Amino acid sequence: MSQRMYREGDRVTLTIPGVIAQIDPEDAARHHLRYGDQGLVHFRTDDNSIDHVLMATADWPPLPGDIWLDRNRKRWLCQVETDPDRPDLIILTSEFGSTYSGERRLMEAVRDHGTFHLEIPGRARLEREGGR
């Protein structure tokens, strides 16, 4: 397996899904993985006995107006539910008609169509991040 370099915040899958919480500043191959409520797991990207896969970049999760690309370079638009009873429900819709809504379903989209990469940041992201 070739050595893969990640960014802090990237979502990866080992045996369990997690988020890169820190990269050792003295050893770029040593990563600290945060998963659920269980704390941190440490792994080395140059250890060929550990299988690790990037699921979504550190820009994940989607924000309204974002356009994302899946592993097949298909576009996905992120929107907010227009139902007044659920104003904060995020919906991710593909150019081929697949739709995933809510935090749990968004991770199903990653499982089914990932790795996702942010192609075009939406207004909400630009405002939050100060104009990127």
Side-chain angles (χ1 to χ4, degrees), residues 32-66:
H32 307 277
L33 181 78
R34 184 178 60 244
Y35 67 101
D37 297 329
Q38 305 303 314
L40 296 175
V41 170
H42 308 280
F43 73 99
R44 294 190 53 84
T45 56
D46 60 354
D47 182 344
N48 291 334
S49 70
I50 298 173
D51 186 24
H52 47 92
V53 177
L54 177 67
M55 299 301 289
T57 63
D59 299 309
W60 193 264
L63 293 176
D66 284 353

Side-chain angles (χ1 to χ4, degrees), residues 7-23 31-43 58 60-61 103 107:
R7 297 182 304 155
E8 288 183 14
D10 283 353
R11 293 175 186 268
V12 299
T13 296
L14 300 174
T15 302
I16 54 173
V19 175
I20 299 297
Q22 180 183 12
I23 300 168
H31 291 62
H32 307 277
L33 181 78
R34 184 178 60 244
Y35 67 101
D37 297 329
Q38 305 303 314
L40 296 175
V41 170
H42 308 280
F43 73 99
W60 193 264
E103 186 175 333
M107 288 314 295

Side-chain angles (χ1 to χ4, degrees), residues 105-130:
R105 295 275 296 144
L106 291 179
M107 288 314 295
E108 289 177 20
V110 169
R111 183 197 64 216
D112 297 345
H113 303 280
T115 302
F116 277 79
H117 296 275
L118 181 63
E119 181 184 35
I120 301 171
R123 173 180 251 165
R125 183 176 303 276
L126 292 173
E127 289 173 357
R128 186 184 80 179
E129 296 178 3

